[in-house]
Amino acid sequence: MPLSEHEQRMLEQMERALYAEDPKFATALEGSGLRTYTRRRVYQAVAGFLVGIALLMAGMVAQAIWLSVVGFLVMLGCAVLAVTGWRKAPKPGEQALGGAARTQARQRRSMMDRIEQRWQRRRDEQGY
């Protein structure tokens, strides 16, 4: 559920107050958001992928097909986790939470403002 305009303004005011009061703490909080979590998840998935390769090779050397299948499934699962985690990670210039959502909300607001202005013009032209 998106925040209302009033709630967004209040949140922005609280963020500005936090930055003004304690900028060091605010920047520390900024780094520990979604971006850090997704980066850690991608690293774990890469490590799991390497474990999957090791299992696949060990299964081939030991001629245990079940171990090779398990290694392949581990590789596949970790590859999916890495790709989805990489796509969800915000870009370095974006804020960790809500950066894209705020931009979309502003675009929607400006579009709604234009629609409302057109509606008011039509009503004024028709004399209602």
Side-chain angles (χ1 to χ4, degrees):
M1 181 170 164
L3 297 175
S4 69
E5 290 181 31
H6 175 70
E7 291 170 334
Q8 287 178 351
R9 278 182 289 195
M10 293 295 292
L11 182 62
E12 288 173 1
Q13 286 176 355
M14 290 188 321
E15 287 176 354
R16 278 182 282 193
L18 178 64
Y19 277 107
E21 186 177 312
D22 194 358
K24 187 183 268 186
F25 178 67
T27 54
L29 284 179
E30 189 177 274
S32 64
L34 180 65
R35 189 166 163 220
T36 304
Y37 170 75
T38 53
R39 185 182 308 140
R40 186 179 318 130
R41 183 176 169 188
V42 168
Y43 290 150
Q44 290 171 348
V46 168
F49 188 83
L50 295 175
V51 168
I53 289 175
L55 287 174
L56 182 71
M57 293 299 185
M60 293 176 78
V61 169
Q63 294 183 349
I65 295 177
W66 64 271
L67 189 58
S68 296
V69 170
V70 168
F72 177 75
L73 292 176
V74 168
M75 287 171 48
L76 183 65
C78 288
V80 168
L81 283 176
V83 169
T84 57
W86 194 263
R87 286 184 183 168
K88 289 181 183 178
K91 306 294 182 257
E94 291 180 356
Q95 291 183 358
L97 295 173
R102 285 187 190 145
T103 304
Q104 288 177 346
R106 286 186 189 126
Q107 288 174 348
R108 271 192 228 121
R109 260 189 279 152
S110 64
M111 183 181 75
M112 289 303 291
D113 290 340
R114 287 194 312 260
I115 291 172
E116 287 178 13
Q117 287 172 356
R118 289 178 189 166
W119 179 258
Q120 286 297 327
R121 252 185 298 160
R122 287 182 187 153
R123 290 187 80 213
D124 292 342
E125 288 172 0
Q126 293 176 356
Y128 290 116

